[in-house]
Amino acid sequence: MATADMMEIAFDIGQEYNMILCIQNIHQETGVEGCQLSPRAVKDYNRSRMYLADVAKREGIPVFNDVGEATMHVIQRIEASRHTINLPWNQKPRHLSPDD
């Protein structure tokens, strides 16, 4: 996630989009587009991620650092929403005939 991506996500938070975030820190050995990052760049990127996570949490957006946990939260939200709204996957498939 580059700086522009984080800015876009922050904008989406301000627009009150319904979202769940998974934000993972960069490790020193991580390269970006084939380039090795300096220790200072890694620290700056990770600080930006912490700021984004803080903004999201203040707005009540769930933030995870593990993809598996974030995925489970998404599944739980979908399952909970199935009981409150009529979503297409709650309905039996309907095959249209030429008369429809």
Side-chain angles (χ1 to χ4, degrees):
M1 176 173 24
T3 303
D5 298 319
M6 288 186 275
M7 290 174 61
E8 184 175 353
I9 293 168
F11 176 81
D12 293 344
I13 290 169
Q15 295 296 306
E16 299 181 356
Y17 287 3
N18 183 11
M19 65 176 76
I20 296 168
L21 294 177
C22 182
I23 301 174
Q24 297 177 322
N25 282 336
I26 294 177
H27 300 288
Q28 184 57 52
E29 58 277 356
T30 303
V32 175
E33 295 182 6
C35 297
Q36 186 66 35
L37 297 174
S38 70
R40 187 175 190 161
V42 169
K43 186 176 177 181
D44 289 342
Y45 273 115
N46 288 335
R47 185 180 307 113
S48 297
R49 284 167 164 72
M50 289 184 341
Y51 291 150
L52 180 61
D54 182 58
V55 167
K57 288 175 185 175
R58 288 178 189 214
E59 295 300 319
I61 296 169
V63 178
F64 299 89
N65 60 8
D66 179 78
V67 175
E69 289 177 17
T71 303
M72 290 305 299
H73 190 80
V74 169
I75 292 168
Q76 290 169 355
R77 264 202 186 173
I78 291 170
E79 289 296 323
S81 71
R82 290 174 131 183
H83 301 292
T84 58
I85 58 175
N86 191 14
L87 298 174
W89 55 79
N90 283 347
Q91 299 171 0
K92 292 184 181 179
R94 180 174 170 241
H95 299 284
L96 297 177
S97 66
D99 298 334
D100 288 344

